[in-house]
Amino acid sequence: MPVRFAYLGPEGTFTEAALRTIPAAEQGERTPARSVPEALEAVRSGTADAALVPLENSVGGAVPVTLDELITGSPLMITREVLLPVEFVLGARTAAPLAAIRSIAAHPQASAQCRHWLQANVPDAVVVDVLSNAAAAISAATGEYDAAICAPIGVGRNGLTVLAEKIADRAEAVTRFALLTRPGPPAAPTGDDVTSLAVSIRHDQVGALLAVLTELAVRGINLSRIESRPTGEQLGTYVFFLDCTGHVAEPRLGEALQGLRRICAEVRFLGSYPKHRLQPEAPVAAPPGLSDDDFADSADWLERLRSGS
């Protein structure tokens, strides 16, 4: 069980809020890092047991630096995902009418997600870019700016007064975080798991990506996410990040991984871990004839043929 956790800092950000939803992290040692590479290097070097970093946002999409880090350097493994609803507030040192606000500190991604609210409620305020949501809260607390767009965790930590709650333009926005450790045996299947892979296809092979997708489709494996990133080696070469329903210990996903190993230039296993659901929801069922029971039955049938029984 990890006891030393690194995370993308500084303190008072959504990443810290997400990390503190993990019981072991709430009781363990938490160290903020200045960047995603720094957080993951702490795990690789052994100064941290695990690191939590953002993976994707439902509004802004994937976090490129995290994806790039997962395909470079020594391998790391995702052992857990955390989904956190993104709720922004407008905070200030003291209570004040919105009409009196003239300057607002905000991280660029935060102000982008609150753009319509800002135009409708504080059209005359100047929004100033800062390095993080935590930095925005601190600058408002010190009086450098009239107010700040920040995470709820930053309000109490900096003694701010909330002028407005839930100011994001999309109330359903969610950020997905990944907890990464050094490679080891995955936890046992739960029946509702995700397997993440980084796949390099042979760019000079016609239909290479289709062949990858076929290995999954013919086994009834649901592909919940696919994302491409350039390798940086030459124009036109990409790594594809795949999230599949299922666990590496399950027969049909195991067969698919064997197939990908045969046809791909490289397959990096990024982990099998429980799916985090914010609301109760049944896992996607395999099509008829492609369930784990169907695969087990066909394997038994083949074994009977081979043994002559």
Side-chain angles (χ1 to χ4, degrees), residues 22 33 36 38 42 47 83 164 182 192 200 204 241 243 246 250 259 278:
I22 302 174
V36 169
E38 183 177 290
T47 58
L83 302 185
R182 291 179 291 280
D192 190 13
S200 299
D204 56 350
F241 290 87
D243 283 345
E250 296 167 349
L278 293 175

Side-chain angles (χ1 to χ4, degrees), residues 223-238:
L223 183 64
S224 58
R225 174 173 166 266
I226 180 169
E227 189 91 25
S228 65
R229 288 291 297 160
T231 63
E233 297 172 357
Q234 67 183 63
L235 192 64
T237 59
Y238 297 89

Side-chain angles (χ1 to χ4, degrees), residues 182-209:
R182 291 179 291 280
T190 66
D192 190 13
D193 300 291
V194 180
T195 292
S196 295
L197 309 168
V199 174
S200 299
I201 65 174
R202 306 185 195 282
H203 69 279
D204 56 350
Q205 178 180 327
V206 176
L209 180 56

Side-chain angles (χ1 to χ4, degrees), residues 240-292:
F240 292 88
F241 290 87
L242 310 178
D243 283 345
C244 312
T245 56
H247 193 283
V248 66
E250 296 167 349
R252 59 195 177 106
L253 186 55
E255 282 190 15
L257 291 179
Q258 290 178 348
L260 295 179
R261 170 73 174 177
R262 291 193 304 269
I263 65 175
C264 294
E266 182 182 0
V267 178
R268 179 172 282 202
F269 174 70
L270 299 178
S272 288
Y273 47 92
K275 185 170 184 61
H276 183 186
R277 297 187 184 274
L278 293 175
Q279 301 293 336
E281 184 181 347
V284 176
L290 294 175
S291 69
D292 289 327

Side-chain angles (χ1 to χ4, degrees), residues 137-211:
I138 292 170
S139 65
T142 59
E144 184 178 358
Y145 300 106
D146 294 339
I149 297 175
C150 61
I153 191 175
V155 172
R157 183 160 291 174
N158 294 282
L160 297 179
T161 298
V162 175
L163 305 183
E165 295 182 298
K166 298 183 178 180
I167 64 173
D169 296 329
R170 297 192 180 185
E172 72 280 4
V174 172
T175 296
R176 179 185 178 211
F177 299 86
L179 185 69
L180 290 122
T181 67
R182 291 179 291 280
T190 66
D192 190 13
D193 300 291
V194 180
T195 292
S196 295
L197 309 168
V199 174
S200 299
I201 65 174
R202 306 185 195 282
H203 69 279
D204 56 350
Q205 178 180 327
V206 176
L209 180 56
L210 177 59

Side-chain angles (χ1 to χ4, degrees), residues 107-153:
H107 186 276
Q109 289 184 352
S111 58
Q113 293 189 45
C114 303
R115 179 169 58 90
H116 296 300
W117 187 93
L118 291 170
Q119 290 175 348
N121 294 276
V122 283
D124 298 326
V126 175
V127 179
V128 182
D129 290 347
V130 294
L131 293 177
S132 67
N133 295 309
I138 292 170
S139 65
T142 59
E144 184 178 358
Y145 300 106
D146 294 339
I149 297 175
C150 61
I153 191 175

